[in-house]
Amino acid sequence: MVVALLLAGCDATPGPGDDTTARAEQTRLDAEFASRTQVARMAREEALTAPDGWTGLTGLHRIELRSHFIGSAPGSGIRLSHGPARLGLLQSGDGAYAFMPERGEAATLDGAPVSGRVTLRSDRDGAPDWLAFDEGRGALSIIERGGIAFVRVRHADAEARRRFAGLEYWPIDRAWRIEARFTPAAPGTRIEIANILGLIEPTVSPGTVRFERDGATYTLQALEGADGGLFLILADRTSGRGSYSAGRYLDTAAPDANGRVVLDFNRAYNPPCAFTAFATCPLPPDGNRLDLAIEAGEKAYRPAP
């Protein structure tokens, strides 16, 4: 009799109470996931619209001469949309850059007052110097892309920042949080990445990421991300049909010791050039154009009319 009771217990099927508990747990997990995702989306919008965010860009000027006068006055070699009529003189040569402020014009370099000729570091070897002007409301730096140097300018009164229309998303869906497998590449592997300006730069690729969706397998070439993580540039079947036409970006944490990495497509986001004409966005490599409609994450930006 005891044996019979034990066998009967092993064959027991979940009752209504078990289903209710499972549904409650699923609801709790979905709510927690949605809350974390929503917090991240709010933080992204704050970063985009901060004075130093992407919507604050007001200019991208190619450095073509050894000397350029900078200012908002007509005839300036590099003309500012906001700021003093005559800010100063930018000089360049042999990959070095220097700035001399106009007499009586206040400027600061990384927070320190500028009283004479100063050197400006570009972003070639890391973070660039920022020269602030207009009582700190504006700033400029030197960036290099594909061997070409540009002056990047931002200002707190940028039109794109003042008229920011907000972000739109597909509904949050935990099913688009997918565990993937990372395969490392040989050290020093580089792939060619084109940017929105048509320039091509060989860029370090630490490896590839493979994931499955609806029975199909997809592979993405990864770039180096922050804190050992991965940076993915991708296009999919929604590109130009709901999401930004030039593709989207996705950041991940570092792969674990077994090569596992999570792709949360709810966090897929638009590149800066979706919001401003003054960015130099890298575009998806050919292999990262997926035959898959990723209806998750950020939709195409629609500026205010």
Side-chain angles (χ1 to χ4, degrees):
M1 182 179 296
V2 172
V3 172
L5 289 172
L6 290 173
L7 291 174
C10 292
D11 292 337
T13 57
D18 297 309
D19 290 342
T20 300
T21 300
R23 286 196 298 270
E25 178 65 8
Q26 182 71 27
T27 299
R28 184 186 68 81
L29 292 174
D30 287 345
E32 288 182 356
F33 181 76
S35 178
R36 290 195 301 269
T37 304
Q38 193 60 41
V39 168
R41 290 177 176 182
M42 291 171 62
R44 167 157 169 77
E45 188 158 323
E46 289 178 3
L48 273 175
T49 56
D52 60 350
W54 288 113
T55 60
L57 295 186
T58 57
L60 183 68
H61 308 272
R62 182 169 176 170
I63 299 175
E64 299 180 302
L65 305 175
R66 294 185 70 87
S67 297
H68 284 286
F69 284 102
I70 303 176
S72 59
S76 299
I78 293 178
R79 189 171 181 184
L80 304 175
S81 61
H82 303 78
R86 294 176 177 81
L87 178 61
L89 177 68
L90 175 69
Q91 295 178 305
S92 62
D94 300 324
Y97 309 92
F99 175 80
M100 174 67 76
E102 186 79 8
R103 185 184 298 275
E105 188 59 52
T108 61
L109 179 60
D110 295 333
V114 173
S115 57
R117 190 174 187 270
V118 293
T119 298
L120 298 179
R121 292 174 301 176
S122 74
D123 69 347
R124 179 176 57 241
D125 300 314
D129 289 327
W130 281 95
L131 183 87
F133 58 90
D134 203 12
E135 298 181 336
R137 296 184 63 76
L140 61 82
S141 66
I142 310 297
I143 65 171
E144 298 186 31
R145 300 289 184 270
I148 299 173
F150 300 85
V151 175
R152 168 174 281 167
V153 188
R154 69 187 189 209
H155 199 280
D157 296 333
E159 184 77 5
R161 180 172 182 259
R162 291 190 298 106
R163 296 175 59 82
F164 183 70
L167 301 175
E168 296 183 50
Y169 294 91
W170 272 279
I172 297 170
D173 184 355
R174 272 206 305 146
W176 279 110
R177 186 180 185 275
I178 300 172
E179 186 175 291
R181 178 70 59 179
F182 173 71
T183 302
T189 296
R190 291 176 178 267
I191 61 174
E192 291 189 339
I193 298 292
N195 65 28
I196 201 75
L197 302 178
L199 304 174
I200 297 177
E201 294 185 88
T203 306
V204 173
S205 173
T208 57
V209 172
R210 182 171 297 175
F211 70 96
E212 294 184 1
R213 175 75 183 187
D214 298 331
T217 301
Y218 304 92
T219 302
L220 292 167
Q221 193 82 40
L223 304 180
E224 293 179 325
D227 301 321
L230 305 176
F231 175 51
L232 304 173
I233 309 174
L234 58 101
D236 65 278
R237 284 292 182 183
T238 71
S239 300
R241 298 176 177 84
S243 68
Y244 183 57
S245 58
R248 288 181 289 174
Y249 297 166
L250 182 64
D251 301 311
T252 80
D256 70 13
N258 296 314
R260 290 175 300 196
V261 63
V262 172
L263 308 182
D264 186 354
F265 290 104
N266 294 279
R267 304 286 184 97
Y269 61 98
N270 289 328
C273 48
F275 309 99
T276 176
F278 308 121
T280 60
C281 306
L283 302 174
D286 289 341
N288 286 16
R289 301 179 183 278
L290 306 180
D291 186 16
L292 171 68
I294 302 176
E295 295 181 331
E298 204 169 297
K299 292 185 177 182
Y301 178 65
R302 294 189 292 182

